[in-house]
Amino acid sequence: MLKKIIVGIAGDLNTVTMKLGCVLMAWALYLSLGVLWASQMLLAASFETLQCEGPVCTEESSCHVEDDLTDASEAGFQVKGYTFSEPFHLIVSYDWLILQGPAKPVFEGDPLVLRCQAWQDWPLTQVTFYRDGSALGPPGPNREFSIAAVQEADSGHYHCSGIFQSPGPGSPETASVVAITVQELFPAPILRAIPSAEPQAGGPMTLSCQTMLPLQRSAARLLFSFYKNGRTVQSRGVSSEFQIPTASEDHSGSYWCEAATEDNQVWKQSPQLEIRVQGPPGSAPLTLNPAPQKSAAPGTAPEEAPGPLPPLPTPSSEDPGFSSPLGMPDPHLYHQMGLLLKHMQDVRVLLGHLLMELRELSGHRKPGTTKATAE
């Protein structure tokens, strides 16, 4: 009897175990099917292929990773002989309609392509793109919206809408908003004068057009040009400096520079810089203040006015005094002599005025002097 009871209990336990195992297997199969269905749905929503391109190097191979780098920014991703690509964000969306944008940062001058992607690439009609809620054009069949060279003003929140054709739902659908930020490629340049904006004549002067590219675009190349009073003084080139070996007063004026990309998609001008070249030391105009004249004493005759002054000499290349020790005319010496002659001319004019005043004063004093002598 006891054996029968034990056998019955064992049989019941086996039955319960078998039923429990069947239930667990059913739940496991149900969960597996659910996970498989969700995976298929996600893959159908967005299927992307990620591929890493570059040389395959081993310790035994003779290839050099450094030689294959063309972007200076990639050098920071090298660790012990391995080269890593720049990271980017991958977003998997589950929706009837999504707006696909660029994965990397967008800078001024870059092309921008936005794609209105439908579920399983089903056909769409009446596709419309929007920025900040405003339509960028009439509805049409084109699923892509592109800008050849973006500017900072193109930043905003973009989305698209469209109507599914068969086998879609047949109703209008709208994609989620995607924020697009256009970054500044380089700031407006600043023109600086070295050593200063008021240099001395005869010395060198350098104008430097200063700006900076971001680290992500450090391999790009900018071209620079320089202008003075609305005229080009140095055409577009790779040099960011404009050199003046010997500055003179003729170099004074309003300068500015321009920085541009090689494709001329982005170009910016600097604020104007006023350059005032100072004359050589001691070249300030000479002014003479004539001393007050004393009245002639009674009973004395006025001094006789001197005759006219002789003409001043002018520099000539035949005069050895105006030439350099090598016998060649010295432009700097000519400039100095010209200033000296100008000062002498000013002194001559002042002396002439002084003589005229002395003559007028002597004319007023003559009647009084004659009357005193007669008494």
Side-chain angles (χ1 to χ4, degrees):
M1 185 66 181
L2 181 60
K3 289 182 178 180
K4 291 182 179 180
I5 294 174
I6 294 173
V7 170
I9 293 174
D12 293 339
L13 289 175
N14 291 334
T15 303
V16 171
T17 303
M18 291 179 62
K19 290 182 178 179
L20 181 60
C22 292
V23 172
L24 292 176
M25 289 180 63
W27 273 102
L29 180 60
Y30 177 77
L31 291 176
S32 299
L33 291 176
V35 172
L36 180 60
W37 178 82
S39 301
Q40 290 178 350
M41 298 296 280
L42 289 175
L43 290 175
S46 176
F47 181 77
E48 297 288 344
T49 301
L50 304 181
Q51 182 177 359
C52 185
E53 298 180 353
V56 179
C57 299
T58 61
E59 295 181 357
E60 295 79 10
S61 63
S62 59
C63 66
H64 299 281
V65 180
E66 293 83 357
D67 298 337
D68 298 315
L69 293 178
T70 58
D71 191 349
S73 62
E74 294 181 1
F77 296 92
Q78 273 191 283
V79 179
K80 295 183 180 180
Y82 292 92
T83 302
F84 298 89
S85 65
E86 295 184 6
F88 69 94
H89 299 283
L90 177 63
I91 301 176
V92 180
S93 301
Y94 176 71
D95 206 342
W96 285 106
L97 201 61
I98 61 173
L99 181 65
Q100 295 177 336
K104 293 183 178 181
V106 181
F107 289 91
E108 292 176 302
D110 289 349
L112 175 65
V113 178
L114 301 177
R115 178 175 174 80
C116 199
Q117 179 65 40
W119 170 271
Q120 295 186 353
D121 205 21
W122 285 346
L124 286 174
T125 183
Q126 302 295 313
V127 179
T128 307
F129 291 88
Y130 302 85
R131 181 180 66 207
D132 297 331
S134 300
L136 297 175
N142 194 356
R143 297 189 183 188
E144 289 188 354
F145 173 78
S146 62
I147 301 177
V150 295
Q151 303 296 328
E152 287 186 281
D154 294 320
S155 300
H157 295 82
Y158 290 78
H159 74 278
C160 66
S161 65
I163 299 177
F164 279 85
Q165 294 179 341
S166 178
S171 60
E173 298 291 338
T174 301
S176 300
V177 173
V178 176
I180 301 295
T181 301
V182 180
Q183 302 183 33
E184 186 180 49
L185 182 60
F186 60 90
I190 298 177
L191 185 62
R192 301 189 184 278
I194 303 172
S196 71
E198 296 183 354
Q200 290 291 333
M205 181 179 65
T206 301
L207 299 180
S208 177
C209 193
Q210 300 178 1
T211 187
M212 181 179 296
L213 288 166
L215 180 62
Q216 298 92 327
R217 300 298 174 89
S218 57
R221 189 169 68 166
L222 296 179
L223 302 179
F224 301 89
S225 52
F226 294 83
Y227 304 88
K228 173 194 173 186
N229 297 333
R231 300 179 61 183
T232 304
V233 294
Q234 180 170 297
S235 301
R236 184 171 293 182
V238 296
S239 177
S240 61
E241 292 185 349
F242 172 58
Q243 308 231 352
I244 300 176
T246 305
S248 65
E249 295 181 2
D250 294 338
H251 290 109
S252 299
S254 180
Y255 289 81
W256 69 90
C257 68
E258 180 183 285
T261 55
E262 291 183 297
D263 56 4
N264 204 32
Q265 293 289 354
V266 183
W267 56 273
K268 298 180 181 181
Q269 289 184 352
S270 71
Q272 295 189 9
L273 177 65
E274 293 294 330
I275 300 295
R276 292 290 178 262
V277 180
Q278 305 298 317
S283 63
L286 179 63
T287 57
L288 296 178
N289 294 325
Q293 302 295 326
K294 294 182 179 180
S295 301
T300 60
E303 297 180 0
E304 186 177 353
L309 297 175
L312 296 174
T314 56
S316 173
S317 59
E318 298 176 357
D319 188 352
F322 294 96
S323 302
S324 63
L326 298 179
M328 299 297 293
D330 189 353
H332 184 67
L333 182 59
Y334 270 115
H335 181 69
Q336 296 291 337
M337 291 303 298
L339 293 176
L340 180 59
L341 292 176
K342 184 177 181 301
H343 297 331
M344 294 176 67
Q345 294 283 358
D346 294 338
V347 173
R348 180 181 179 184
V349 172
L350 290 175
L351 289 177
H353 288 297
L354 181 59
L355 289 176
M356 295 293 295
E357 292 180 0
L358 287 174
R359 287 175 180 174
E360 291 179 0
L361 182 61
S362 62
H364 289 299
R365 298 293 297 178
K366 279 182 180 180
T369 305
T370 306
K371 183 179 180 181
T373 303
E375 292 178 354

